[in-house]
Amino acid sequence: MNKDILTQDEIKKLKYLFAQLSSCGIKIEGGWAEISLGQNVNGENLKELLRTFGVKSEELDYSSFHNLVSFPIKKGDLAENTVIFPTLDSFWVKASSLDHELPYYIILDGGERVNNGMISFLMPEPIIKKINLFLKWSRLINNISRYSFYDKCIYYVPDKNNIKEVEIIIPSNNLSIIDEIVEINKINFDFVSELLNIIEVDDVMTSERQSILRVAISDFVDNKCVLTEIIEKDKQIYKRYKDLVDLYTKKFSIDKVLSEIESKYIEYTSKINDIISSTQNKAYAIPGALIAASALIKAGNLLIGSLVIIGLFMIFLITFVSNQSYKDSLDELNTSLEKSFKRFQILEKRTQIYKEAGDTSTKLSDKITKVKRRLILVNAMNFIMLIVGGIVLYFNNQDELYKIFFEKLSLS
């Protein structure tokens, strides 16, 4: 029978056993447990119940003459999974060896703490609560330790430029130390229970949570301490852990957002550079226009000069329309940029993210403005070349132009 998991029927029988024992006189002495049967307690029935719940000794005996049930309590007389414990010390030895709470138990002699009365799972005594609190913390420390031994745990935490070793003593052989942990009205399982739930989750962040808890504990204890010192400062340790996790989460979030900002910067820079590259290609039309203007000087007649002017006009028109398209793309890019970085502006002005986002947004806006100016310059230069070509054509063919002009006037 697994005594950590009992059926409802078994729990009912265990409660019945406790009720039967409560009406009996119990004496633990000389390595034996002697149970003087109370009124209406059936010896054979009690004997079977004791065997069911962990007394396996062949010397378990019921004497009707003495109205007594007795059994030895030496090592091996009780089953490994027994819920019957002769003394509080035997319960403590068993619980500390398992390193977890025992949900079901009957302690025949609780010692001076309960006036040598019984202790059961039905109404846990303060000392049991302290033991359970100790066991929870012990399990937690074991989970975050680098090395775990029977009576101590060791882990390491960063300490400026060095690594600090922290050694935590586990007083598993001294129940009196456990009894002095905290006042009963100050016992709180919430802190250690939540920390255990957090640390025992197995995911990609497990090692980070363990590291943070190590640091949180180390902030309140010396390099070598006793587990009870940690338990007494459970509230401070819990709050410190939460603060450190909050800092870590914010740093992780900041790094992630900064990475996103950097990615946005690269993305927008790439788009701007593509437009710059295209405008540079269009700027190559300017030397061509200059060559065409030079050809006008050598052109001997109006027809050839007119063809050159038409070519210059087409260069100007194509470049202007193309650059206008680039300008529209830059306007759209700027709008997209504002939307992308607007969500970072809700942060406080002191934050690193706000500053980084603002600087990046400004850099990209400046780049877009410079590209727009370059487009205007390219358009202006092409227009100037067209005007220069017209002027050269006029002065180079002035007589012929006057002749054509006056012939038209005479015809009209």
Side-chain angles (χ1 to χ4, degrees), residues 86-103:
T87 63
L88 184 60
D89 284 332
S90 64
F91 172 84
W92 163 241
V93 169
K94 179 65 177 180
S96 60
S97 68
L98 296 175
D99 202 28
H100 66 76
E101 299 175 46
L102 291 171

Side-chain angles (χ1 to χ4, degrees), residues 14-22 106 118-120 122:
L14 188 58
K15 290 179 178 179
Y16 177 71
L17 171 60
F18 178 73
Q20 292 282 287
L21 290 172
S22 297
I106 293 177
M118 282 196 303
I119 301 174
S120 82
L122 296 172

Side-chain angles (χ1 to χ4, degrees), residues 273-287:
N273 287 339
D274 287 343
I275 294 176
I276 291 173
S277 177
S278 297
T279 57
Q280 285 176 340
N281 292 334
K282 296 295 179 294
Y284 291 144
I286 296 172

Side-chain angles (χ1 to χ4, degrees), residues 206-260:
T206 299
S207 61
E208 282 77 7
R209 289 193 295 270
Q210 291 177 348
S211 297
I212 292 171
L213 182 56
R214 292 188 197 108
V215 173
I217 293 172
S218 302
D219 286 346
F220 293 96
V221 297
D222 296 328
N223 291 9
K224 187 172 183 178
C225 67
V226 181
L227 180 58
T228 51
E229 296 176 43
I230 295 174
I231 297 173
E232 289 169 352
K233 298 173 182 177
D234 56 358
K235 184 177 181 179
Q236 296 99 308
I237 290 171
Y238 174 80
K239 290 179 67 177
R240 180 61 175 159
Y241 171 81
K242 286 292 188 182
D243 290 342
L244 290 174
V245 167
D246 188 47
L247 287 173
Y248 176 84
T249 303
K250 285 181 178 178
K251 183 180 184 306
F252 181 79
S253 299
I254 288 172
D255 290 343
K256 184 178 179 182
V257 174
L258 291 177
S259 176
E260 183 182 347

Side-chain angles (χ1 to χ4, degrees), residues 74-89:
K74 299 186 299 297
K75 185 176 181 180
D77 291 321
L78 299 174
E80 185 67 23
N81 60 352
T82 183
V83 297
I84 307 296
F85 298 95
T87 63
L88 184 60
D89 284 332

Side-chain angles (χ1 to χ4, degrees), residues 295-296 299-312 389 393 397:
L296 284 171
N301 59 63
L302 183 61
L303 179 60
I304 295 174
S306 298
L307 290 173
V308 173
I309 286 294
I310 291 171
L312 286 172
L393 178 65
N397 298 278

